Amino acid sequence: MCNCNLYYNGNLVMEDVMIVEKVEDKIIAIDLFGDKKEFKGEIKKIDLNENKIFIEG
């Protein structure tokens, strides 16, 4: 199982992210427990080797 940490503008904002989805001008992330956060910006990098997702906005 691949749980990722999500960084927004360089800051860790979510752990154990399971789903990331682009919906219109938002990025929606959902973690292992079903908690959801929305971000404005762009996905800059997904590093599956380090389990990290980077969004800048």
Side-chain angles (χ1 to χ4, degrees), residues 8-27:
Y8 184 68
N9 293 330
N11 300 307
L12 177 63
V13 293
M14 288 184 81
E15 295 180 346
D16 299 321
V17 174
M18 301 297 293
I19 299 171
V20 177
E21 182 177 15
K22 178 78 170 169
V23 178
E24 297 176 7
D25 64 339
K26 298 180 277 190
I27 298 169

Side-chain angles (χ1 to χ4, degrees), residues 4 13 24 32 44 47 53:
C4 291
V13 293
E24 297 176 7
L32 184 65
K44 291 296 184 178
D47 185 338
I53 300 167

